[in-house]
Amino acid sequence: MTALLEIEDLALSYGAVPAVDGVSLAIEPGELRVILGANGAGKTTIIKAILGLKRPRRGTIRYDGEHDLAALKPHQIHALGIAWVPEGRQLWHTMTVFDNLRMGAFQSKDHAAVARRIEEMFVRFPRLRERRDQLAGSLSGGEQQMVAIARALVSGPRLLLMDEPSLGLAPIVVRDVFALAREINDMGIAILMVEQNARQALKVADAAYLLETGHIVDQGPADEIARRDSVKAVFLGGAA
Amino acid sequence: MDLLLQQICNGLVIGSTYAVVALGFALAFSVLRVVHFAHPDIFMVGMFSGLVAANYWPGLGLIIAIAAGAAGAGALGYFAERTIIGPLRGRDILTTLIGTLGLSIVLQNGMALLVGPDPVAYPTLVPARFIDIGPVMLTLRQIVNLGLSALLLVLVSVFVRFTRTGRAARAIAERPDVAAAFGVDVARICQITIVFASTLAGVAAVSVGSLYGSASAFVGLLYGLKAFTCMLVAGNRHIEGVVAVAIGLGIIEALVTGYVSSSMKDAAAFVVLIAVLYVRPNGMFGSYAT
Amino acid sequence: MPSFGFFEPILIFTLLNVTMALGLYVTALSGQLSMATAAIAGVGGYMSGVLTVKFGVPFAVAIAAATAAGCLVGGALALLTSRMRDFILKLTTLAFGEALAVLAFNWDYTGGANSFTGLQLHTGLGTCALAVAAALFVAWRFDQSRLGLAARAVRDDPLAAAAMGISVPGIRFTTFALGAAIVGMAGAVQAHYVLVISPSDLGFFVSLNYIIFLLFGGLQTMWGPVLGAILLTVLPEALRFANEYRLIVYGVIIIAVVLWRPDGLLHRVPLGVPQRLFGIRLSPGRPARATASQSSGAPLPQLTRTAAE
């Protein structure tokens, strides 16, 4: 089976400073894989490269075995079925919840399908239906995370990129978020998650990569990684 | 009291033109993050396009001039966006200012080469007539100008609030990366935004040309800086704020002209700018983070 | 002093522009790119002009007064913009400069719209050389001093600088005042060469020209603005042959350089330091922190691809 997403020897820099150097990873359809790393390790940089928001210095990002994402523009990449739950949610605060969701499928021509999916979101997240016409900026952190995830699902993606979904959220909400990720994954949507919260992430993931200052230093099935000393020392000491 | 009302009305007319130009700046700045210094000069080119068309087809008067002004400015806006403004997107703000300044210099001096540096007479598109509205006296030209500006401002509001492209533009203004990642073709929307702003400026320019009866290659200097300060004072979060500030500025200037002296009015814009920004550094109505 | 005849005006203007650029550079070191340079120079010019013409004050004293005046204006501007961030700050200085220009336009004591005339030609090549030397010296000493380092720290990251005990408002005030003093001096020297001071000389367009010097030459080193000033003073002169098209060519060159080299022509990239220009990011996105060199040590375990589950 061809990997859904295959990254080979990826290198990115900010000006003269290298952020990611020689990263290779892959994810199969329907899998949930996580990239673990501390701040500044380069996790978000990889996500931005996949989304076409940052051009790599070197390396290939192959989707579905045929599309080279490094050569495409972000809106084209979105059309291929890749959606983003950004770090810190990054909703449009001056727009309503409904408009935020609508923007999630901006270029979709199939308005009926989009409307149906938005309705599905409201069914799954009744709280969002209540807040439908409220400005997104007025919602709580947990509610904003729901909107961010719903916004990503509205376009019917095959691959979801989740960037630190637990960041800044209360512990009880964090548990819900990871459970939600598992639920989405069970529906068949592949998830590539980047996280600092190793313990929770490894509970839901199929496999994990360890990223340290731009290099992958370890990788393997989630339960194996969870037992490794390197992970224990670096992450499990402080995570929720 | 009559002087007050008269000056307020005069101020409304001036302010409405500031508003249209300022909106062009605001659109370029929020959506493209570019300080579009050449916008007033695109305005100027629109003015001359209208002039040429009106002279060529004198029978069709105002309509052809407006159409030509819109077309000329819009086309110039398109080419400028493709070649200079678009590539400046994403650069630091001062670089965009200098880059568009270069374009401004080229446009101003290019036009001055064609028509000379002195003002040129504008064809009569609207008859010179005085209209009494209660205690206030306005010329027909002022009323036409006001009407056109109001129409343009409504168009911008409709664009930003109710069209799909306008929503995309707002999305880009607030979060460009997220907008791109959710399917917005940022390059195309930026193009449309600049062409839209340029076209409106072209129409406003013809209106202003006919109002004052003259056009000059350097008319951009007059409107540019002040309209720009309007944008800064208002902040770029709410586009209607820019309109309010611009009209306010027009009225303040008119009042200064009426009650103090006409030569001091130019300082009004800058005094207001400094005062407002000292108290609210993000502009009166707030800005997105730059 | 040997006579340079035909080249003397170009030489003098080059020296003057270099001085202005250095003054602006000092102010910009702390991240405040002032757009009121021409206005401050104008203040210096008017001050020395009024003193020599209306009060018969000796030239040297007038220059000193102009320098002090510039210093005061710079300090005032620093206080006015103390609450403002980069971009808004720059534009406030622009507005301030414009307001001064309008004031000059309306103040009949200094000639108002008809410009201030009657100045004596006190400035020669010698004076300009002295001025440049003074500016170079001050800029160089400041650049190398701890104050200069502190200024750069304030420019790059005011929060971190404050956390290290640097008084951010103090540094901003000092750099502004010092830079403005140089500019005021240069304005006085220039006034006594051109012999006329008009309100339009204070306008933002002239200020922008000085900024273009800086941006062309790059801001990482002191010599960038010097190079920019020299190039951009000589270039329009060299273009004189294209007389009417001169400005158009100038505009085209500006566009070309901006599109081609947004960092300026002369820049030294320190390794591992994020690239920022006056606190505004050069490239979109978060600059990465300076990363340590690659981790060395024991070889990594053999990595195998995980199978899909």
Side-chain angles (χ1 to χ4, degrees), chain C residues 152-236:
Chain C
R152 280 192 184 80
V154 168
R155 175 189 71 192
D156 291 339
D157 199 334
L159 230 64
M164 291 199 298
I166 297 175
S167 160
V168 171
I171 291 285
R172 286 197 172 141
F173 184 87
T174 311
T175 51
F176 224 133
L178 189 61
I182 298 177
V183 170
M185 170 191 70
V189 173
Q190 181 168 312
H192 286 272
Y193 181 73
V194 180
L195 305 182
V196 174
I197 312 168
S198 12
S200 58
D201 294 336
L202 278 69
F204 84 98
F205 192 77
V206 188
S207 290
L208 266 178
N209 262 313
Y210 296 128
I211 292 182
I212 296 181
F213 293 166
L214 247 72
L215 288 177
F216 261 44
L219 279 133
Q220 306 285 352
T221 82
M222 183 177 93
W223 301 105
V226 172
L227 180 69
I230 295 177
L231 263 179
L232 289 176
T233 312
V234 169
L235 195 64

Side-chain angles (χ1 to χ4, degrees), chain A residues 13-215:
Chain A
S13 312
Y14 285 96
V17 184
V20 168
D21 197 5
V23 161
S24 299
L25 56 93
I27 182 168
E28 309 289 338
E31 273 194 322
L32 200 167
R33 291 202 181 181
V34 66
I35 303 176
L36 297 172
N39 267 334
K43 312 190 295 295
T44 304
T45 310
I46 296 177
I47 298 286
K48 288 209 164 149
I50 300 174
L51 290 167
L53 295 173
K54 192 145 174 56
R55 289 268 160 267
R57 273 260 166 99
R58 200 179 71 233
T60 58
I61 306 176
R62 204 152 292 277
Y63 183 71
D64 250 355
E66 53 173 303
H67 304 281
D68 180 19
L69 297 188
L72 294 178
K73 291 193 156 173
H75 67 277
Q76 294 167 317
I77 294 173
H78 177 75
L80 291 174
I82 301 179
W84 186 28
V85 183
E87 182 184 352
R89 271 77 66 190
Q90 294 203 44
L91 301 177
W92 286 289
H93 288 196
T94 60
M95 290 192 200
T96 63
V97 167
F98 181 70
D99 280 337
N100 267 274
L101 295 182
R102 226 180 357 160
M103 282 298 300
F106 179 75
Q107 62 186 347
S108 169
K109 299 284 189 274
D110 189 352
H111 298 300
V114 173
R116 197 180 10 100
R117 274 195 224 106
I118 294 183
E119 182 57 31
E120 282 168 21
M121 294 300 127
F122 283 141
V123 166
R124 175 62 186 78
F125 305 109
R127 206 122 49 97
L128 293 189
R129 196 199 292 276
E130 279 169 39
R131 311 221 183 285
R132 184 185 190 276
D133 294 315
Q134 250 181 274
L135 289 184
S138 65
L139 269 59
S140 73
E143 288 167 345
Q144 286 192 10
Q145 188 62 289
M146 274 191 249
V147 176
I149 293 175
R151 175 178 66 178
L153 293 174
V154 155
S155 56
R158 292 165 56 211
L159 171 63
L160 200 64
L161 302 173
M162 295 182 89
D163 196 344
E164 300 214 41
S166 71
L167 191 69
L169 298 179
I172 202 171
V173 182
V174 168
R175 256 188 295 138
D176 289 341
V177 169
F178 281 107
L180 186 56
R182 186 82 250 175
E183 194 186 313
I184 295 170
N185 186 237
D186 288 339
M187 291 193 312
I189 299 175
I191 298 183
L192 183 61
M193 188 190 289
V194 302
E195 253 298 339
Q196 288 185 62
N197 187 340
R199 200 165 97 210
Q200 298 262 30
L202 287 170
K203 279 199 219 156
V204 299
D206 297 321
Y209 296 92
L210 247 74
L211 191 68
E212 205 176 294
T213 55
H215 299 88

Side-chain angles (χ1 to χ4, degrees), chain B residues 29 35 37 83-84 87-88 90-99 101-103 105-106 109-111 113 177 221 225 228-229 231-232 261 263-267 270-271 273-274 277-279 281-283 287-290, chain C residues 33 35 79-85 87-88 90-92 94-96 98-99 102-103 105-106 204-205 208 211-212 215-216 244-245 247-252 254-255 258-262 277-278 280-285:
Chain B
F29 188 63
V35 178
F37 232 68
T83 52
I84 298 169
L88 284 175
R91 300 280 180 85
D92 80 280
I93 287 172
L94 205 60
T95 305
T96 66
L97 193 155
I98 304 256
L101 175 72
L103 177 62
I105 293 176
V106 170
N109 292 283
M111 186 60 83
L113 263 177
D177 275 355
L221 289 171
L225 205 55
F228 188 59
T229 60
M231 181 192 85
L232 290 177
S261 89
S263 48
M264 284 302 257
K265 73 167 165 47
D266 293 328
F270 306 112
V271 172
L273 178 72
I274 296 174
L277 287 182
Y278 189 72
V279 176
N282 272 332
S287 298
Y288 305 125
T290 320
Chain C
L33 191 64
M35 291 185 139
L79 290 173
L80 201 65
T81 58
S82 55
R83 286 227 259 153
M84 299 178 189
R85 288 175 337 185
F87 174 54
I88 305 288
K90 288 171 196 106
L91 289 142
T92 305
L94 188 156
F96 187 83
E98 279 300 298
V102 172
L103 225 76
F105 195 80
N106 285 291
F204 84 98
F205 192 77
L208 266 178
I211 292 182
I212 296 181
L215 288 177
F216 261 44
E244 301 152 344
Y245 299 87
L247 281 172
I248 298 183
V249 177
Y250 185 61
V252 172
I254 291 179
I255 296 175
V258 163
L259 287 178
W260 172 56
R261 273 284 223 172
L277 196 65
F278 311 112
I280 293 181
R281 295 176 199 115
L282 266 187
S283 51

Side-chain angles (χ1 to χ4, degrees), chain B residues 197-264:
Chain B
S198 305
T199 310
L200 292 184
V203 174
V206 168
S207 173
V208 168
S210 105
L211 175 66
Y212 293 112
S214 81
S216 144
F218 297 101
V219 73
L221 289 171
L222 228 82
Y223 286 92
L225 205 55
K226 293 200 195 141
F228 188 59
T229 60
C230 289
M231 181 192 85
L232 290 177
V233 170
N236 59 20
R237 194 163 180 135
H238 296 290
I239 212 132
E240 295 83 359
V242 177
V243 176
V245 169
I247 294 187
L249 179 66
I251 295 180
I252 292 177
E253 280 192 357
L255 290 174
V256 168
T257 307
Y259 290 101
V260 182
S261 89
S262 97
S263 48
M264 284 302 257

